[in-house]
Amino acid sequence: MSYQVNMSVKPEVKAFFDPATNTISYVVKDPASRACAVVDSVMDIDYAAGRITYDNADEIIAYIRENDLQLEWIIETHVHADHLSAAPYIQDKLGGKIGIGDQIMVVQDTFGKVFNEGTEFQRDGSQFDALFRDGDSYDIGTMRALALYTPGHTPACMTHVIGDAAFVGDTLFMPDGGSARADFPGGDAATLYESIQKILTLPDEMRLFMCHDYGPDGREIQWETTVGEERENNIHVGGGKSQEEFVRFRTERDATLDVPKLIIPSLQVNMRAGEVPTDEDGRPMLKVPVNAL
Ligand SMILES: [Fe+2]
């Protein structure tokens, strides 16, 4: 499948870094109108206390209001396991449609079982306003955005290409960070390699924006690189590393990684498009399945 990209469209990208989860959220603005999109927003949680707050999301909302922007889309690159999405909170304040990859249904099916959700939990993606398939396009003002299916880290991962900027979610990290883990249910290292290759076929000068950075070896947090940089220098896939090499390395590394601290609340919220589940009395309530993950 060949995809149409338009490098002459150069969206204005504003990044928001959340130090609690090392997540980077973005506001992507059309240079030719007031339209914008939010990518991968964060809702704050103090998990020990069961307390949810919105400092991160409020900062994004304030930025959009101060700059008089019109929010058209709230994009999730995938169902995150390390932070909670603030998509519904932002939508409530500013409007916009919440979109994710249509393979969300696979994720909902898997974790609907893990969390023993009842039949009221729909596994058809209907909590979201839009479900993207590979190659689908949508508009942000005058810009045409393109959703590319890039699974491997999770089954529902997509990369969003907007003009000369691509939001890669957790498929790639900065060149010195490599790639994300592929050992979650439905994840697969060989598939992740193929998805990364798909991103690396985009034009060399394409700007790439990461969802996470952990500042390896004490360097400052960074989130922006290019396709050319990644192809040459990415420590896991750069310089033409083979799929076999990648899979061996990725599998060995993943076996050493801890479970993400916020995986239990994150999955329950994010598979509902960012809504906190409620109990039979309608109170917000999270579960902890024992020895199930
Ligand atoms: Fe992730």
Side-chain angles (χ1 to χ4, degrees):
M1 188 163 185
S2 75
Y3 305 96
Q4 257 201 317
V5 300
N6 186 351
M7 296 294 285
S8 69
V9 174
K10 300 184 190 307
E12 295 162 24
V13 179
K14 166 76 177 169
F16 297 81
F17 177 67
D18 172 36
T21 63
N22 285 71
T23 304
I24 302 109
S25 308
Y26 298 97
V27 172
V28 190
K29 181 193 169 288
D30 176 12
S33 75
R34 306 310 305 163
C36 73
V38 165
V39 180
D40 290 333
S41 64
V42 174
M43 177 162 77
D44 311 305
I45 186 167
D46 176 346
Y47 188 38
R51 186 171 297 117
I52 280 175
T53 51
Y54 298 96
D55 291 350
N56 262 295
D58 284 338
E59 207 184 317
I60 291 174
I61 291 165
Y63 176 83
I64 291 175
R65 285 188 174 144
E66 277 158 22
N67 290 282
D68 196 24
L69 306 183
Q70 189 150 9
L71 182 59
E72 296 192 350
W73 284 96
I74 304 168
I75 300 296
E76 298 292 322
T77 54
H78 62 294
V79 171
H80 309 276
D82 65 307
H83 70 270
L84 285 64
S85 164
Y89 179 80
I90 294 175
Q91 183 178 50
D92 194 49
K93 302 272 191 282
L94 299 174
K97 284 189 282 212
I98 303 174
I100 198 164
D102 73 339
Q103 296 302 303
I104 178 70
M105 294 182 230
V106 177
V107 177
Q108 287 176 327
D109 189 51
T110 302
F111 292 108
K113 288 185 185 121
V114 169
F115 290 100
N116 195 25
E117 303 294 355
T119 46
E120 73 282 1
F121 175 61
Q122 301 289 315
R123 294 139 208 240
D124 57 1
S126 56
Q127 299 87 344
F128 296 80
D129 302 309
L131 299 179
F132 302 116
R133 286 172 310 172
D134 189 37
D136 276 355
S137 60
Y138 59 98
D139 293 331
I140 306 166
T142 68
M143 300 190 294
R144 172 66 38 107
L146 174 69
L148 294 186
Y149 185 42
T150 49
H153 168 62
T154 79
C157 288
M158 297 201 95
T159 292
H160 290 261
V161 181
I162 308 169
D164 75 337
F167 298 83
V168 300
D170 290 0
T171 51
L172 280 165
F173 289 159
M174 291 297 288
D176 61 354
S179 59
R181 65 196 302 168
D183 62 337
F184 292 147
D188 182 71
T191 307
L192 179 58
Y193 181 88
E194 281 161 21
S195 292
I196 291 171
Q197 296 308 314
K198 189 163 164 179
I199 294 169
L200 296 183
T201 62
L202 294 167
D204 269 6
E205 324 76 63
M206 175 79 69
R207 293 181 285 161
L208 297 183
F209 292 91
M210 311 296 114
C211 183
H212 292 293
D213 186 64
Y214 301 92
D217 298 324
R219 78 141 160 71
E220 294 216 343
I221 299 297
Q222 296 175 2
W223 47 75
E224 180 179 348
T225 181
T226 62
V227 167
E229 270 292 315
E230 292 280 25
R231 188 184 310 112
E232 288 298 309
N233 300 322
N234 185 288
I235 55 168
H236 297 171
V237 293
K241 286 203 181 52
S242 72
Q243 187 171 30
E244 204 187 345
E245 252 178 296
F246 177 79
V247 170
R248 194 181 327 114
F249 165 80
R250 191 66 266 171
T251 309
E252 281 172 19
R253 163 69 74 87
D254 287 351
T256 71
L257 299 176
D258 290 334
V259 172
K261 282 192 200 68
L262 296 178
I263 191 169
I264 286 176
S266 297
L267 292 173
Q268 290 174 82
V269 166
N270 296 341
M271 71 182 182
R272 293 177 165 85
E275 297 285 356
V276 180
T278 51
D279 69 8
E280 58 274 19
D281 297 325
R283 295 175 304 181
M285 191 71 72
L286 293 160
K287 295 176 183 172
V288 180
V290 173
N291 296 338
L293 275 172

